[in-house]
Amino acid sequence: MKRLGVNIDHVATLRNARGGFHPDPFLSAKQAMVYGADSITIHLREDRRHIKDIDLKNISKSKIPLNLEMAANDQMLKIALKYKPNFICLVPENRKEITTEGGINILKNLSKIKKIIKTLNQNKIRTSLFINPNLNDIKLSKQVNSKCVELHTGKLSDLIKLKKNYSNEYIKIKKCAKYAKSIGLEVHAGHGMDYNTTSLLSKIKDIEEFNIGHFIIGESIFAGLNKIIKKFKHMSK
Ligand code: PXP
């Protein structure tokens, strides 16, 4: 069975919409763990549009296995070394994007990424790079001594949702996973995953971990509405 990292960024999005404390990302992290998540993923963005430093502080102080997604820069590295999450995944960050639209450009940032990964490895934080599924980026990930790669599944997810032919993209991900594993990298996958994508990607044995956020948080609304509305109706009898 593959490990499941639950990304709770969008619990924070909802909390921030009202500027208060509800729903609390830390509570959602604790509950996700109780219900079987293997780890919790959060992305501390430069603009703090969802996860805030207090969320990182609360979760990192607990015993929850934490995967921090962050941009590859010195400011974020400083924060990472302060809170020492168990895992770090370096992601590209573009202020105008709605979500992480593609993998990190390793070649363009080679020396910076290598330096950050070295520091994280020395601090015993498991390192990962969020990359587009291509062999070149896998070779570069190995070259900069990352321990894992996370293959961006956004394109595959979009093709499946649009009912378009996805077989080339699926084969590409499968080949990348096999190659990455063969050179000693642990393989993860994530972005845009839902039930369909997950059931398809579960067939790829070389993938060890999924990181899923938006769909889990969105779908939880439908799983929970029944219970919450019944409770309110009962209370207002
Ligand atoms: N993995 C990485 C590296 C990401 O940046 C994201 C999105 O923040 C995810 C997984 C989860 O994507 P989604 O929210 O679409 O499930």
Side-chain angles (χ1 to χ4, degrees), residues 7 9 69 89 91 99-100 130 150 190-193 211-214:
N7 180 315
D9 289 350
E69 292 175 1
C89 181
V91 298
T99 180
T100 316
F130 191 38
E150 180 164 333
H191 209 278
M193 289 176 64
N211 282 303
I212 309 177
H214 189 269

Side-chain angles (χ1 to χ4, degrees), residues 9-237:
D9 289 350
H10 296 304
V11 177
T13 304
L14 204 55
R15 184 241 352 239
N16 298 352
R18 282 285 170 98
F21 300 97
H22 185 271
D24 177 16
F26 183 35
L27 182 59
S28 75
K30 287 191 270 194
Q31 291 199 351
M33 293 304 296
V34 169
Y35 296 132
D38 295 289
S39 57
I40 295 299
T41 294
I42 55 174
H43 182 176
L44 189 71
R45 281 184 171 268
E46 190 190 357
D47 61 11
R48 307 296 196 268
R49 69 173 76 150
H50 38 57
I51 292 294
K52 296 184 183 298
D53 299 63
I54 185 69
D55 304 316
L56 169 60
K57 185 179 174 189
N58 286 339
I59 302 170
S60 63
K61 272 198 321 197
S62 75
K63 290 200 164 68
I64 294 172
L66 178 63
N67 176 34
L68 175 67
E69 292 175 1
M70 62 175 224
N73 62 48
D74 288 341
Q75 199 190 351
M76 288 310 303
L77 180 64
K78 206 170 149 199
I79 294 175
L81 294 177
K82 180 173 173 194
Y83 293 108
K84 293 254 178 83
N86 309 76
F87 322 123
I88 283 189
C89 181
L90 296 179
V91 298
E93 216 171 277
N94 170 359
R95 241 180 249 191
K96 291 202 187 86
E97 69 190 356
I98 293 173
T99 180
T100 316
E101 283 160 0
I104 196 164
N105 188 334
I106 308 178
L107 198 56
K108 199 171 151 203
N109 305 289
L110 198 70
S111 61
K112 189 166 68 177
I113 290 177
K114 195 169 182 178
K115 203 171 130 230
I116 292 176
I117 289 199
K118 187 177 177 194
T119 308
L120 296 174
N121 284 340
Q122 281 167 346
N123 280 273
K124 301 200 173 5
I125 296 172
R126 186 193 74 180
T127 46
S128 183
L129 288 168
F130 191 38
I131 59 169
N132 290 323
N134 67 67
L135 299 182
N136 232 12
D137 279 322
I138 292 172
K139 287 177 196 155
L140 288 169
S141 301
K142 187 71 186 169
Q143 197 183 316
V144 296
N145 290 319
S146 181
K147 302 292 175 210
C148 318
V149 283
E150 180 164 333
L151 302 176
H152 196 301
T153 55
K155 187 171 172 192
L156 178 78
S157 302
D158 285 347
L159 291 169
I160 294 176
K161 280 170 204 157
L162 295 168
K163 300 198 182 334
K164 289 191 174 164
N165 187 337
Y166 58 80
S167 59
N168 286 346
E169 188 64 17
Y170 175 71
I171 290 165
K172 197 162 47 158
I173 291 174
K174 195 172 170 180
K175 277 189 183 156
C176 283
K178 188 171 181 189
Y179 177 66
K181 189 164 181 194
S182 76
I183 61 168
L185 289 161
E186 187 178 297
V187 186
H188 308 159
H191 209 278
M193 289 176 64
D194 59 9
Y195 296 134
N196 292 331
T197 344
T198 303
S199 99
L200 183 68
L201 289 168
S202 292
K203 294 183 189 140
I204 303 180
K205 63 175 184 356
D206 297 311
I207 297 176
E208 289 187 36
E209 180 179 305
F210 291 142
N211 282 303
I212 309 177
H214 189 269
F215 187 81
I216 291 181
I217 304 307
E219 194 64 8
S220 300
I221 295 173
F222 301 112
L225 270 177
N226 178 8
K227 199 172 142 199
I228 309 302
I229 290 175
K230 278 190 182 140
K231 186 166 178 175
F232 272 106
K233 289 298 285 181
H234 182 74
M235 285 168 74
S236 41
K237 258 183 203 159

